[in-house]
């Protein structure tokens, strides 16, 4: 058996080299998806759908791949069976040398993206270890080129339910920290007082990088604990961990503050939060964490119910210069839509990357005049490219809000 595979391998390598050296085959294009049908295959079976059933010892060779002026990212699409890992080592030119890249697939890793520069014409050899399925590989000149391709693939922007695999504890967990900061009592005399917010930091958080930021607000009866970030079994954390682990979103930071901008006991303090956000909370987040609050394209605000209303009235209405993406989950009724629309109409210089709304069809609190229903008609800045209104079965509750968070995280974090 062993001798047989060695023989096959030698035959395969000779065939590959012959192909590469004959000069007959035109240089192949790695910037379009390269499938097994376009490669020399040894010790693996091609499935009916064109994917490859691989095992330890399987090899693939792509001869004469022309990377031209250079690729920056290689993307491999493969999967491992329910138990176990599939490792793919890619060799450039010399299959006996050191691997150019090594990708490890778990059952929930459907693809791997490796940042590694390569240019010119090369022969690539893929060597497999473990069982699995190999679908294709592709090179990209830049992260932007990869993002464009991913956007085209993910044409459905939101799910109707959170797949359960995103709710389980992830193999790579981020961390949650308390952020204690000094705020001011904007509902009263502006006196300084101490507040606490919770901060989700992605797995492998590196202070040397810059992360996107989401400010996530709670409802009228809640506080900084309501989204559950401080709980050991936090859903927000599980969703973030799993979306990052599967490569569906880029890692970003989530902050759940107390959305009252002052120490009054009634709901009026919610209306003063914009001042705290701008003057106290965002600067405190930026002082401690690797975010860029001067780049609105990297900052988003979302909230449930009262927090959704704040997202519309305060996020868009008062802080359009600070955020570019907004998520309102069952936004509380408010008469701020006209003011918010006026701000949009008078500030065309600030684009709205995304304004996502979700609401339960049995939610009796959110009426026909809610901002999510009337805002698009009051300005010409919101259209199918940046405005989503998702109506789902459900009431004024966390079933809708977690789904809203999941969908919004996928939109703003899309790779
Ligand atoms: C209202 C009813 C409910 C309102 C806000 C709420 C601003 C907020 C509800 C929640 O946060 O759950 O009339 O006015």
């Amino acid at each position: 058996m062993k001798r047989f595979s060695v023989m096959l391998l030698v035959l395969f390598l000779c065939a590959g080299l012959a192909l590469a050296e004959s000069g007959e085959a035109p240089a192949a294009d790695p910037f379009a998806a390269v499938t097994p049908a376009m490669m020399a295959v040894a010790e693996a079976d091609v499935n009916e759908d064109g994917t490859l059933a691989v095992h330890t010892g399987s090899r693939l060779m792509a001869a004469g791949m022309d990377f031209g002026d250079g690729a920056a990212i290689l993307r491999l699409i493969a999967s491992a069976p329910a138990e176990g890992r599939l490792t793919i080592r890619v060799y450039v030119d010399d299959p006996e040398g050191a691997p150019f890249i090594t990708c490890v697939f778990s059952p929930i890793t459907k693809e791997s993206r490796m940042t590694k520069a390569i240019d010119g014409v090369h022969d690539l050899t893929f060597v497999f270890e473990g069982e699995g399925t190999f679908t294709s590989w592709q090179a990209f000149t830049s992260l932007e080129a990869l993002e464009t391709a991913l956007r085209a693939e993910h044409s459905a922007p939101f799910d109707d339910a959170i797949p359960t695999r995103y709710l389980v504890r992830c193999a790579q967990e981020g961390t949650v920290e308390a952020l204690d900061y000094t705020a001011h009592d904007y509902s009263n005399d502006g006196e300084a007082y101490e507040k606490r917010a919770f901060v989700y930091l992605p797995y492998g958080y590196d202070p040397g990088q810059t992360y996107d930021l989401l400010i996530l607000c709670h409802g009228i009866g809640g506080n900084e604990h309501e989204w559950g970030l401080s709980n050991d079994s936090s859903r927000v954390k599980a969703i973030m961990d799993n979306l990052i682990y599967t490569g569906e979103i880029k890692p970003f930071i989530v902050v759940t503050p107390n959305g009252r901008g002052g120490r009054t006991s009634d709901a009026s303090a919610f209306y003063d939060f914009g001042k705290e956000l701008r003057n106290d909370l965002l600067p405190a987040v930026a002082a401690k964490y690797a975010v860029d609050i001067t780049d609105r394209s990297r900052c988003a605000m979302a909230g449930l119910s009262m927090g959704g209303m704040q997202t519309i009235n305060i996020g868009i209405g008062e802080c359009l210069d600070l955020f570019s993406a907004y998520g309102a989950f069952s936004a509380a009724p408010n008469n701020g839509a006209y003011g918010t629309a006026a701000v949009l109409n008078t500030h065309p210089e600030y684009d709205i990357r995304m304004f996502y709304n979700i609401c339960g069809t049995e939610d009796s609190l959110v009426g026909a005049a809610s901002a999510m229903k009337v805002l698009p008609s009051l300005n010409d800045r919101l259209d199918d490219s940046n405005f989503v209104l998702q109506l789902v079965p459900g009431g004024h509750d966390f079933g809708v809000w977690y789904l809203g968070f999941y969908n919004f995280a996928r939109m703003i974090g899309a790779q």
Side-chain angles (χ1 to χ4, degrees):
M1 177 64 192
K2 207 169 195 176
R3 202 173 329 142
F4 180 62
S5 13
V6 171
M7 264 176 60
L8 254 185
L9 183 61
V10 170
L11 275 176
F12 155 69
L13 286 175
C14 290
L17 284 177
L19 186 70
E21 280 172 6
S22 70
E24 282 167 24
D29 179 11
F31 295 103
V34 183
T35 62
M38 298 147 83
M39 303 168 81
V41 176
E43 292 213 28
D45 299 312
V46 181
N47 297 319
E48 270 180 16
D49 62 0
T51 60
L52 201 65
V54 291
H55 53 85
T56 301
S58 297
R59 283 184 169 231
L60 274 175
M61 186 168 176
M65 302 308 301
D66 187 356
F67 293 92
D69 291 342
I73 295 170
L74 289 186
R75 177 193 191 195
L76 274 64
I77 300 185
S79 60
E83 279 158 31
R85 305 248 170 216
L86 172 66
T87 302
I88 307 178
R89 295 186 178 82
V90 181
Y91 296 84
V92 171
D93 297 326
D94 177 10
E96 305 304 320
F100 181 64
I101 55 170
T102 300
C103 306
V104 181
F105 293 84
S106 74
I108 57 168
T109 323
K110 296 288 180 256
E111 62 174 275
S112 182
R113 301 158 192 168
M114 305 296 287
T115 305
K116 194 98 190 254
I118 178 171
D119 60 12
V121 179
H122 297 281
D123 299 335
L124 269 60
T125 306
F126 293 60
V127 178
F128 297 83
E129 186 186 324
E131 300 270 322
T133 304
F134 179 77
T135 301
S136 64
W137 67 278
Q138 187 171 355
F140 295 87
T141 51
S142 63
L143 186 59
E144 289 70 37
L146 173 63
E147 285 178 353
T148 304
L150 291 172
R151 264 196 290 276
E153 285 167 24
H154 297 281
S155 52
F158 48 78
D159 280 348
D160 289 335
I162 308 175
T164 47
R165 66 180 181 278
Y166 295 101
L167 297 172
V168 298
R169 199 170 267 274
C170 185
Q172 294 185 344
E173 293 185 61
T175 52
V176 175
E177 293 185 357
L179 168 65
D180 293 317
Y181 63 104
T182 302
H184 296 84
D185 188 346
Y186 296 102
S187 304
N188 297 297
D189 48 10
E191 192 191 348
Y193 71 118
E194 293 304 302
K195 284 188 74 173
R196 171 168 281 194
F198 289 99
V199 180
Y200 167 84
L201 300 174
Y203 172 84
Y205 170 71
D206 170 10
Q209 295 187 22
T210 303
Y211 294 85
D212 290 3
L213 171 67
L214 169 62
I215 303 291
L216 184 62
C217 293
H218 57 82
I220 199 163
N223 56 26
E224 67 273 26
H225 295 279
E226 194 178 29
W227 275 104
L229 258 192
S230 53
N231 301 342
D232 182 50
S233 57
S234 164
R235 278 201 166 205
V236 166
K237 177 171 164 294
I239 291 169
M240 287 298 294
D241 285 346
N242 283 299
L243 284 173
I244 293 167
Y245 184 64
T246 56
E248 275 179 73
I249 64 168
K250 58 190 165 196
F252 65 83
I253 292 175
V254 182
V255 175
T256 55
N258 182 322
R260 294 171 187 82
R263 287 182 288 189
T264 47
S265 55
D266 62 20
S268 64
F270 281 92
Y271 296 86
D272 298 316
F273 185 61
K275 299 185 195 76
E276 176 184 320
L277 191 54
R278 184 180 293 276
N279 300 329
D280 306 321
L281 178 63
L282 287 176
V285 172
K288 191 169 175 196
Y289 301 106
V291 295
D292 183 0
I293 58 166
T294 67
D295 182 353
R296 66 187 289 281
S297 76
R298 305 198 64 171
C299 299
M301 179 174 178
L304 72 89
S305 196
M306 196 65 161
M309 191 201 81
Q310 290 182 301
T311 298
I312 296 167
N313 287 11
I314 292 173
I316 302 177
E318 297 176 21
C319 301
L320 198 54
D321 58 326
L322 300 176
F323 304 101
S324 63
Y326 301 91
F329 316 145
S330 321
N334 74 88
N335 52 16
Y338 289 87
T340 304
V343 169
L344 283 172
N345 284 326
T346 49
H347 288 285
E349 71 276 24
Y350 295 125
D351 71 298
I352 303 283
R353 188 156 66 96
M354 173 51 63
F355 180 19
Y356 167 81
N357 292 268
I358 188 170
C359 196
T361 49
E362 276 76 56
D363 189 331
S364 52
L365 208 119
V366 182
S370 67
M372 65 180 176
K373 291 180 186 156
V374 298
L375 248 185
S377 65
L378 300 177
N379 71 94
D380 58 8
R381 307 283 306 288
L382 303 170
D383 56 33
D384 284 350
S385 72
N386 63 357
F387 181 83
V388 175
L389 170 52
Q390 184 182 11
L391 297 173
V392 293
H396 198 71
D397 57 49
F398 264 101
V400 173
W401 301 330
Y402 280 126
L403 177 60
F405 172 77
Y406 165 78
N407 279 326
F408 187 62
R410 285 168 68 221
M411 280 181 223
I412 59 170
Q415 298 259 19

